[in-house]
Amino acid sequence: MQTDNIPLHDLKENIIIRKIEKSISLNFNGAHRHNFYEILYFSHTEEEVTHRIDFKESVIKTNCIYMLKPGQVYSMNRTVQKGYLIAIKPGYLNSFHHNFDSYLHFTLPDEIPMDENDLRTTVQVMQLIHTELPLKKREDLISALTNTLITQLI
């Protein structure tokens, strides 16, 4: 399928994290692509809300992690959702492990089911990143937390 005419969202920072419910300014409407990884965690959503990843429609599951890879086409019906949105520039991940981006791009599924314990740990790491990132004081801690998050998802 031709995707050249679908808008491409660009990420200037290495990493951003936002609460989905406070991200109205972000463009969730319409199909778009990213030049970065986007991790979506929905702690709450209305029933039967759907999204599309590479034109494949599915119902958004609460307490599930979704991993969008650079270049994938994404669209979501914007309703009442809560959770976290994390955007990570691809090269940022290579600082943890050589060729980490290639590994993630080909091994992680779009939907990552997690058991209750793994999900609790993953959400705690997201909360820590959400607290630390705006302070812009401890870059090493942000890197370590991001590495922990990605490792938890693998």
Side-chain angles (χ1 to χ4, degrees):
M1 169 140 311
Q2 185 72 15
T3 61
D4 292 343
N5 60 342
I6 298 174
L8 179 67
H9 292 189
D10 188 31
L11 182 64
K12 306 276 188 270
E13 301 91 345
N14 284 326
I15 180 173
I16 62 167
I17 184 168
R18 301 233 170 87
K19 289 192 173 188
I20 289 175
E21 59 269 28
K22 295 184 179 180
S23 299
I24 301 207
S25 63
L26 298 176
N27 183 6
F28 284 106
N29 297 325
H32 60 277
R33 298 173 295 139
H34 306 116
N35 68 351
F36 50 88
Y37 293 95
E38 187 170 76
I39 300 167
L40 297 167
Y41 162 67
F42 296 97
S43 60
H44 169 80
T45 187
E46 292 178 344
E47 286 187 35
E48 302 299 314
V49 173
T50 61
H51 64 169
R52 288 179 181 85
I53 301 174
D54 284 342
F55 307 102
K56 182 182 173 195
E57 185 172 27
S58 62
V59 173
I60 296 173
K61 298 174 187 168
T62 57
N63 295 320
C64 189
I65 307 286
Y66 295 92
M67 176 72 142
L68 305 174
K69 298 163 195 83
Q72 284 188 300
V73 178
Y74 186 72
S75 64
M76 175 175 69
N77 298 326
R78 184 76 168 111
T79 60
V80 177
Q81 289 117 357
K82 292 183 180 180
Y84 287 104
L85 176 152
I86 303 173
I88 304 171
K89 191 177 273 191
Y92 185 65
L93 298 175
N94 284 336
S95 64
F96 307 132
H97 304 286
H98 185 65
N99 291 328
F100 205 49
D101 288 327
S102 296
Y103 177 76
L104 286 182
H105 197 80
F106 293 108
T107 59
L108 277 181
D110 298 337
E111 182 179 309
I112 304 169
M114 303 187 100
D115 67 34
E116 190 175 318
N117 289 332
D118 285 344
L119 182 63
R120 185 175 30 257
T121 302
T122 300
V123 172
Q124 287 172 340
V125 173
M126 289 179 181
Q127 291 168 339
L128 288 169
I129 294 170
H130 186 259
T131 300
E132 286 295 325
L133 191 60
L135 302 176
K136 297 185 179 192
K137 291 183 179 179
R138 301 189 285 189
E139 290 295 324
D140 288 344
L141 179 58
I142 299 300
S143 294
L145 289 169
T146 304
N147 189 18
T148 301
L149 175 65
I150 297 300
T151 302
Q152 186 72 19
L153 297 178
I154 296 175

